[in-house]
Amino acid sequence: TRDAHIALKRHLLAATNITERLQTLAALWSSSSPDAYEALENERTRLCKSLTGKIGYFSIIGQKSGVEAVDAVCEAEKLPEFSITHPGIRRALYMPLIGNNSAIWTERGMQWFAQTVIKVAGIGEYAANRMLDAVQNYRSFDPAIAGRVETALRTIQSTLDKDKNPWIRAKVDSFLS
């Protein structure tokens, strides 16, 4: 409701520590507040001054409901504060989206998933491996979702080189066999 959004914005402005600030920002970001994007952007500069704040900031982005979360993560990748090579920052941005059922299982979510696993596999196989864990039991999913997952896995399989990414390719091959 409007009153709840106003209360969250007030609380965010009055927050005295990083934990309080991040929790309030996450609640506002996850809400239907028309000011959610503005609040996130306003807090970026303040939070991204430290590694802890930066990781906290990026961990909030994938929590938005629906496909908006996928788009927000894609936009966040373009921010100067984001570093795909930093394992903590990479994990903070990507892993909440992997656990976001309203976003990841959509067609757009699965396209993002395949592209990101491919991109991350060349940087850190551990992160790509953790992402793949989310789809391990895809055959037991709703048929429409299972089809999207299989398409994503086949894209990953056909793109990743077995010699350059043996661990990830073996995992994907085992899921598809």
Side-chain angles (χ1 to χ4, degrees):
T1 68
R2 185 176 182 276
D3 291 341
H5 298 156
I6 290 169
L8 285 168
K9 287 193 298 189
R10 284 185 183 148
H11 193 78
L12 183 61
L13 292 172
T16 58
N17 63 59
I18 194 167
T19 302
E20 188 177 11
R21 183 168 301 291
L22 287 168
Q23 289 174 344
T24 307
L25 182 59
L28 188 58
W29 176 245
S30 299
S31 76
S32 61
S33 171
D35 301 323
Y37 281 91
E38 181 182 347
L40 189 72
E41 182 57 28
N42 289 343
E43 289 300 311
R44 180 167 60 98
T45 303
R46 181 181 303 173
L47 288 168
C48 289
K49 289 179 182 176
S50 71
L51 181 58
T52 302
K54 196 180 288 191
I55 288 172
Y57 172 83
F58 283 112
S59 72
I60 290 170
I61 296 171
Q63 297 176 32
K64 191 77 172 162
S65 185
V67 176
E68 279 184 89
V70 178
D71 296 335
V73 166
C74 290
E75 287 302 311
E77 287 179 308
K78 300 173 189 173
L79 295 173
E81 297 88 354
F82 179 70
S83 171
I84 196 168
T85 60
H86 189 287
I89 295 170
R90 179 179 61 231
R91 197 169 32 251
L93 183 60
Y94 296 151
M95 296 316 289
L97 185 55
I98 297 298
N100 184 337
N101 288 331
S102 70
I104 197 65
W105 306 121
T106 64
E107 187 171 332
R108 173 79 174 101
M110 279 290 100
Q111 290 168 349
W112 172 86
F113 176 82
Q115 293 165 356
T116 305
V117 168
I118 292 163
K119 181 170 39 178
V120 169
I123 298 165
E125 282 195 326
Y126 179 73
N129 181 58
R130 284 192 60 199
M131 293 174 75
L132 285 168
D133 286 344
V135 301
Q136 182 172 0
N137 297 314
Y138 80 94
R139 293 180 198 276
S140 67
F141 295 178
D142 173 90
I145 293 172
R148 288 191 285 269
V149 173
E150 186 163 331
T151 299
L153 289 171
R154 293 206 182 281
T155 299
I156 295 165
Q157 184 183 48
S158 68
T159 305
L160 288 182
D161 186 309
K162 279 185 180 181
D163 296 326
K164 292 181 182 173
N165 302 102
W167 185 29
I168 299 304
R169 266 301 299 275
K171 188 169 191 165
V172 171
D173 290 349
S174 74
F175 289 176
L176 291 169
S177 65

